[in-house]
Amino acid sequence: MARIALTGATGFIGGTVAAVLSARGHDVLCLTRRPVDLPWPSQVVDFADVEDLSRAVADRDAVAHLAIFNDFHGMYADRRAAYDGYVGLTRRILDAANAVGARVGYVSTDWVFDGTGHLVDEDETPNPVNLYGYLKTASELVVLHRASSGFVARVGGVQGLHQTQAAGPRSQDVGFGYFVLALVDALRSGERFTVWEDPAINSVATPIVSAEIGALLGLAFDAGAEGVLHFAGGTAVTRRELAEATCRVFGLDVAQVDFAPPPDSARLPAPVPYDTSMSGARTAALLGTTTWPIEDQLGSLAAELAHGIPVPLS
Ligand SMILES: NC(=O)c1ccc[n+]([C@@H]2O[C@H](COP(=O)([O-])OP(=O)(O)OC[C@H]3O[C@@H](n4cnc5c(N)ncnc54)[C@H](OP(=O)(O)O)[C@@H]3O)[C@@H](O)[C@H]2O)c1
């Protein structure tokens, strides 16, 4: 079992990654920028200081890097801070990991693509259409060209519970994140739910549960994976197909679902990729698993919702 340092553990995906890696016997140390009370061992570090980061990861085999400046409007308002919150931060973490011989796993996004492909594989060249996609692509290059040992793991359409925030983010946006639980919450409360459909929003993806991202990161560290990986669900779905599958798996009435364009207030001040579906077949084969179909992903999410514990598929 590996000794893994983790950034972003207070966040949506990072908390689940910490929970899954810990449950599988890895020794997880969460690196945070402020004192926080987490269910896993944690240490406050100065993310601006490579030497402090190096000391924090000195006894680690690997660093899973998930932290980002996650504020779409804010990154346009202060592009230098955004660059540092993605590319600068990633570079400092790489330098610290390289200094102590730790492998790096960087979680990236399907928004590095321009949205004109379908089920694109790990060799597809990114062509980001907005600042978030650009900064993630630039951070990927830092990892791919600077890490002594490491990989980039692209994820998209991520569904799951927030492990350390009771309410968690659960509203629909122009991406696929949080979509399923937003729909489930509404229909279980007796409300109708409007699925946004519009050519200017993210409309096709390969959803994956965050629990599975944790499992695949563990497998990738165990396998000593290098290069670009796709952690993708096994089914490319439209927003409408995802809503229909959600109703089937969660036993909800699809007649309570409406379809309409998003309100103007939900639109982002930049283009959004249309089809960001990815093929994860090659990655799954490398890690000795499979790409799980949407019904399995949703079944895992239903179990997580029922018991409060992430349920990886691999
Ligand atoms: N959510 C999705 O649907 C999705 C889809 C594709 C890819 N991803 C990728 O998955 C990763 C995790 O995303 P998420 O949605 O879980 O993010 P999130 O919930 O917004 O969490 C962001 C994390 O980054 C930390 N952070 C922010 N700025 C930092 C800084 N300057 N130094 C150190 N830590 C900092 C935050 O810590 P504080 O608590 O201190 O603020 C928090 O732990 C990201 O790399 C993202 O690009 C996410």
Side-chain angles (χ1 to χ4, degrees):
M1 291 298 119
R3 290 163 296 178
I4 302 173
L6 173 66
T7 72
T10 55
F12 164 51
I13 301 176
T16 298
V17 167
V20 170
L21 291 176
S22 299
R24 295 199 162 184
H26 294 288
D27 172 352
V28 174
L29 175 66
C30 303
L31 305 182
T32 65
R33 57 178 169 169
R34 57 194 164 86
V36 279
D37 188 17
L38 291 174
W40 317 283
S42 64
Q43 181 177 333
V44 176
V45 290
D46 180 355
F47 282 93
D49 182 350
V50 175
E51 286 185 9
D52 196 43
L53 282 166
S54 303
R55 281 191 293 274
V57 301
D59 71 340
R60 299 285 111 184
D61 304 308
V63 181
H65 175 36
L66 283 80
I68 49 161
F69 177 122
N70 196 1
D71 175 353
F72 201 94
H73 291 85
M75 76 176 70
Y76 277 91
D78 188 344
R79 297 176 189 207
R80 291 185 189 192
Y83 189 89
D84 189 67
Y86 286 79
V87 187
L89 177 61
T90 302
R91 181 178 169 142
R92 291 189 290 277
I93 285 166
L94 257 295
D95 288 349
N98 284 345
V100 302
R103 293 200 297 277
V104 172
Y106 177 63
V107 172
S108 190
T109 175
D110 56 348
W111 280 32
V112 298
F113 297 117
D114 61 13
T116 62
H118 185 68
L119 288 171
V120 297
D121 70 15
E122 294 85 345
D123 292 334
E124 183 71 21
T125 301
N127 183 26
V129 296
N130 56 45
L131 187 54
Y132 171 67
Y134 164 72
L135 294 171
K136 293 296 289 188
T137 305
S139 302
E140 286 189 358
L141 292 175
V142 171
V143 176
L144 294 173
H145 294 296
R146 201 171 177 90
S148 301
S149 175
F151 60 86
V152 164
R154 297 188 184 125
V155 307
V158 184
Q159 312 299 321
L161 285 176
H162 200 298
Q163 295 297 307
T164 54
Q165 284 177 20
R170 284 205 198 182
S171 55
Q172 182 177 200
D173 61 27
V174 297
F176 270 74
Y178 328 122
F179 177 97
V180 173
L181 289 182
L183 187 156
V184 170
D185 283 350
L187 265 58
R188 284 188 174 170
S189 312
E191 296 163 20
R192 300 185 68 82
F193 184 84
T194 301
V195 172
W196 299 340
E197 290 188 318
D198 190 292
I201 67 172
N202 195 186
S203 299
V204 185
T206 32
I208 186 167
V209 285
S210 48
E212 184 65 359
I213 295 172
L216 295 176
L217 276 173
L219 292 174
F221 282 131
D222 289 347
E226 300 280 336
V228 175
L229 309 178
H230 280 182
F231 292 177
T235 315
V237 287
T238 62
R239 301 172 80 92
R240 180 179 293 247
E241 288 165 344
L242 182 56
E244 291 166 349
T246 299
C247 289
R248 278 196 307 278
V249 172
F250 283 80
L252 300 167
D253 181 4
V254 74
Q256 301 304 309
V257 179
D258 303 307
F259 302 90
D264 285 345
S265 59
R267 294 182 191 275
L268 296 179
V272 169
Y274 179 83
D275 182 340
T276 58
S277 59
M278 302 186 295
S279 169
R282 195 172 81 203
T283 294
L286 175 77
L287 302 182
T289 183
T290 189
T291 54
W292 298 89
I294 193 64
E295 289 77 14
D296 294 298
Q297 303 286 346
L298 294 170
S300 160
L301 185 62
E304 180 177 354
L305 193 55
H307 306 295
I309 299 169
V311 183
L313 295 158
S314 295

